[in-house]
Amino acid sequence: MKLEELVGHVGGNVICCKEGLNKEVEYAFASDLMSDVLTLKNENLVLITGLANIQAVRTAEMSDLSAIIFVRNKRVSEDMIRLAQENGIVLIEYPGTMFRLSGMLYNLGVKPVY
Amino acid sequence: MNFEFKVLGGDFVRAGNASSQVKKILKQLNVDASIIKRIVVALYEGEVNIVAHAYSGVIKVNIDTERILLMLDDSGPGIPDIGLAMQPGFSTASPIVREMGFGAGMGLPNIKDNSDEFSISSEVGKGTHLEILVNLKVT
Ligand SMILES: Nc1ncnc2c1ncn2[C@@H]1O[C@H](COP(=O)(O)OP(=O)(O)O)[C@@H](O)[C@H]1O
Ligand SMILES: [Mg+2]
């Protein structure tokens, strides 16, 4: 599924890098622990996290993630947007919980990593 | 090719800058994307460890056509028991480090996992030295 289609289904506010919305999403991983994210080998993966800081975006940069969805109403900061723009990473704010969003993506057929 | 980067303990805003630079260099050299990912993930965990656990450090990068060698040297408290530190889940990270999304005790094992050759040595009260070697050719 394209990221754009996914956002259409679940809602959420695309903060930056709309040009990345045509990327394919196959897997999702939900975690606030960046070291766990850094162990993943999958491509076409979107990260669901409540950790809204610069290191979440750094982690996405190093792991070649196409998008981060920030749950629980966490706000994306200016320096996060700047780093995301440099690397073409889509940042999305989502008002619900991690559990709600994970359930929705699972129902849409987005796959768990394991 | 040789590059050198300085890393400051406690500076979580800039943690990852060196890894980001190295990623750009490797992309320009047309290294395979999956190999770049292994290199920068390992380097990023090492860089974060200097920021999280040491006072300051230097990252030296040596690249030739065959492989990349990353040498991370820090001044810091050192690691009293390397065997223990290498175990998945072992961490002495502070609450501040945990707030930054690290401190799960997965860093060192993941660095080793992403390396073709890995070595670590440390002297308590002095600092820690990591060597990470990754072959650049797809095998
Ligand atoms: N550069 C370093 N200087 C001092 N201690 C370190 C360093 N790197 C790692 N350590 C020690 O090894 C432990 C495990 O490291 P790691 O696996 O990266 O997990 P984490 O950083 O999440 O705690 C750390 O909690 C710390 O006690
Ligand atoms: Mg670590």
Side-chain angles (χ1 to χ4, degrees):
Chain A
M1 176 175 12
K2 294 267 188 256
L3 196 48
E4 182 156 31
E5 197 185 331
L6 187 152
V7 175
H9 281 295
V10 303
N13 186 11
V14 179
I15 302 297
C16 88
C17 309
K18 292 202 164 61
E19 65 278 8
L21 284 174
N22 63 351
K23 285 186 204 160
E24 200 62 37
V25 177
E26 195 179 350
Y27 296 97
F29 187 73
S31 181
D32 292 347
L33 293 172
M34 294 306 110
S35 287
D36 276 349
V37 180
L38 288 162
T39 63
L40 304 177
K41 313 272 186 253
N42 310 64
E43 286 174 25
N44 303 326
L45 182 139
V46 19
L47 171 62
I48 303 167
T49 187
L51 186 86
N53 66 26
I54 193 83
Q55 295 311 324
V57 187
R58 278 280 178 227
T59 298
E61 177 191 3
M62 300 311 156
S63 304
D64 293 327
L65 307 186
S66 40
I68 311 176
I69 310 179
F70 297 95
V71 293
R72 303 195 293 268
N73 260 319
K74 294 285 171 357
R75 289 283 178 260
V76 168
S77 66
E78 283 303 319
D79 54 341
M80 290 164 69
I81 294 173
R82 230 172 293 128
L83 187 60
Q85 279 167 342
E86 263 177 49
N87 296 285
I89 300 161
V90 179
L91 302 184
I92 301 163
E93 291 173 349
Y94 178 77
T97 62
M98 186 180 262
F99 181 72
R100 174 188 289 268
L101 181 65
S102 300
M104 287 172 86
L105 294 196
Y106 191 88
N107 275 337
L108 287 169
V110 180
K111 291 186 273 191
V113 171
Y114 52 82
Chain B
M1 267 185 282
N2 290 296
F3 303 91
E4 208 177 297
F5 305 92
K6 291 201 165 54
V7 183
L8 196 61
D11 188 355
F12 272 101
V13 176
R14 271 183 289 180
N17 269 5
S19 307
S20 181
Q21 295 302 317
V22 170
K23 183 170 186 184
K24 290 191 179 92
I25 293 163
L26 292 170
K27 266 186 168 172
Q28 269 172 9
L29 293 172
N30 279 319
V31 175
D32 179 80
S34 65
I35 295 177
I36 295 183
K37 179 170 167 176
R38 282 173 50 213
I39 295 164
V40 298
V41 162
L43 180 56
Y44 180 49
E45 283 284 8
E47 190 178 352
V48 167
N49 274 353
I50 297 175
V51 173
H53 306 297
Y55 315 136
S56 70
V58 178
I59 296 173
K60 289 185 182 142
V61 182
N62 175 266
I63 307 173
D64 66 27
T65 51
E66 300 292 318
R67 93 284 180 279
I68 183 167
L69 177 63
L70 307 164
M71 285 165 289
L72 294 80
D73 256 304
D74 69 56
S75 308
I79 303 175
D81 185 341
I82 288 178
L84 188 60
M86 288 301 300
Q87 281 179 22
F90 176 83
S91 177
T92 62
S94 66
I96 296 156
V97 173
R98 288 174 204 278
E99 267 170 39
M100 295 309 300
F102 289 89
M106 299 302 295
L108 289 175
N110 198 28
I111 294 172
K112 182 162 192 267
D113 194 47
N114 280 296
S115 309
D116 286 313
E117 287 172 36
F118 170 73
S119 72
I120 175 168
S121 57
S122 189
E123 204 178 320
V124 174
K126 284 228 155 127
T128 300
H129 178 77
L130 257 66
E131 284 194 23
I132 299 162
L133 186 139
V134 177
N135 296 316
L136 296 179
K137 295 274 160 68
V138 190
T139 46

